[in-house]
Amino acid sequence: MGTGVFENEFYPKKPVHTEICFLNWFKTQQAFLAQNLSREEKYHVTWFMSWSPCFQCARQVVTFLKDHKYVQLSIFVARLYYSSRPQYQQGLRSLQGAGAQVAIMTPADFAYCWDIFVDDPLQPFRYWKGIYLNSCSLSKTLVNILRNLEKDFPKPGPVSRNAAPAPGTKGNAAATGNQESTLEPLPGIYPKTFYSNFKNLEGYWPKSTRLCFEVETWEDGSFLDYQNGVFRNQLPLPLPGPGCGIPQRRTHTHFLPASRLL
């Protein structure tokens, strides 16, 4: 199993959120396919996300975890997406109820992501003003949300036209997108892209979501394998025009030039 980063690709199909990109890719891995025959191995999956999952994606992740008990998921987010809305709160609680760890990224988490995923090992991570205070404030908000597991919010029904679209999409009609669409990871993320997406500043709204992941495979307490990468929401294919700079076909990871890194 290799390493890489998932970049936003352009398709004529509906957009797909980062969480679903990961699940679609993860289910195509040979080790995962073999796992369906033998349940001796365990997967420890860690997500570092620029935004917390929307309630539609949370619903699909919960279903995945219930169907695959040998996958342990930890989710660390830089910011909370529509944290005051009951549906999104319920989505976070449902993830915790399904056994996932849900937490806010600390300054140490940001620095760790920089070391693992940013494609510039010689450039040190720079802590921005407010990183610690904002992390503490968001942690308190998340703790209050997760404490209310007994709150009986109605189960999310069909996607409403008035529901907030996730970052990187233009509407909830494309919230979970094409379930069969699968991307391969890219090898890195640019420093500027990392800062522009993961800063936890109040009122800061990047236009898309990044999901940095790590997958560890264990068997009987022994480490077997490791891989990592980054996803970004898929976008619909725009109309091509002269000098638009939009790729006209899918490009495989190992043929991507440096300019195509996130």
Side-chain angles (χ1 to χ4, degrees):
M1 302 179 94
T3 63
V5 174
F6 284 92
E7 183 189 38
N8 205 11
E9 292 286 351
F10 292 88
Y11 291 91
K13 303 175 183 179
K14 293 180 179 180
V16 180
H17 290 186
T18 56
E19 303 91 326
I20 310 307
C21 288
F22 175 87
L23 294 182
N24 290 344
W25 168 82
F26 185 65
K27 289 183 287 188
T28 67
Q29 302 306 294
Q30 289 299 320
F32 177 84
L33 297 176
Q35 180 68 44
N36 290 326
L37 300 178
S38 173
R39 300 302 172 91
E40 299 300 323
E41 296 181 0
K42 301 292 183 182
Y43 289 101
H44 296 173
V45 178
T46 303
W47 290 353
F48 299 97
M49 301 184 64
S50 56
W51 285 107
S52 60
C54 69
F55 64 86
Q56 300 102 320
C57 289
R59 187 187 308 165
Q60 295 198 46
V61 174
V62 167
T63 299
F64 176 84
L65 292 176
K66 289 181 177 179
D67 292 340
H68 304 91
K69 298 295 186 181
Y70 46 87
V71 177
Q72 299 177 358
L73 177 62
S74 298
I75 305 174
F76 300 92
V77 302
R79 291 175 302 276
L80 296 173
Y81 188 61
Y82 285 105
S83 60
S84 63
R85 299 192 179 186
Q87 284 181 309
Y88 294 85
Q89 294 178 352
Q90 181 62 32
L92 296 174
R93 287 193 290 269
S94 68
L95 288 168
Q96 180 176 261
Q101 177 188 6
V102 184
I104 297 295
M105 291 180 67
T106 66
D109 292 327
F110 289 112
Y112 177 80
C113 280
W114 179 274
D115 292 338
I116 299 298
F117 300 103
V118 171
D119 189 50
D120 191 348
L122 300 181
Q123 182 174 338
F125 175 68
R126 302 190 309 273
Y127 294 89
W128 53 85
K129 184 177 180 179
I131 183 174
Y132 176 77
L133 292 179
N134 289 333
S135 178
C136 292
S137 176
L138 289 166
S139 293
K140 292 179 181 178
T141 300
L142 180 60
V143 167
N144 289 333
I145 291 173
L146 297 179
R147 277 178 178 169
N148 293 325
L149 283 173
E150 71 278 3
K151 294 187 74 172
D152 188 22
F153 285 119
K155 293 183 179 180
V159 175
S160 169
R161 291 180 181 270
N162 297 321
T169 62
K170 294 185 178 181
N172 275 286
T176 53
N178 176 15
Q179 300 304 301
E180 300 303 323
S181 181
T182 303
L183 294 177
E184 293 297 324
L186 296 176
I189 179 172
Y190 277 138
K192 183 178 179 180
T193 304
F194 180 85
Y195 285 124
S196 65
N197 281 271
F198 279 91
K199 280 188 176 180
N200 62 354
L201 303 180
E202 185 177 356
Y204 187 73
W205 281 76
K207 295 182 179 179
S208 62
T209 301
R210 295 302 200 286
L211 184 156
C212 303
F213 73 86
E214 295 182 304
V215 179
E216 296 181 355
T217 307
W218 294 77
E219 182 176 5
D220 295 329
S222 299
F223 174 80
L224 296 180
D225 194 19
Y226 169 85
Q227 57 184 352
N228 63 28
V230 180
F231 276 105
R232 179 186 175 189
N233 290 346
Q234 292 182 27
L235 296 180
L237 181 68
L239 293 176
C244 67
I246 300 300
Q248 301 302 305
R249 62 183 179 84
R250 173 85 172 271
T251 306
H252 291 294
T253 303
H254 48 281
F255 293 122
L256 285 173
S259 61
R260 289 292 310 284
L261 293 176
L262 286 174

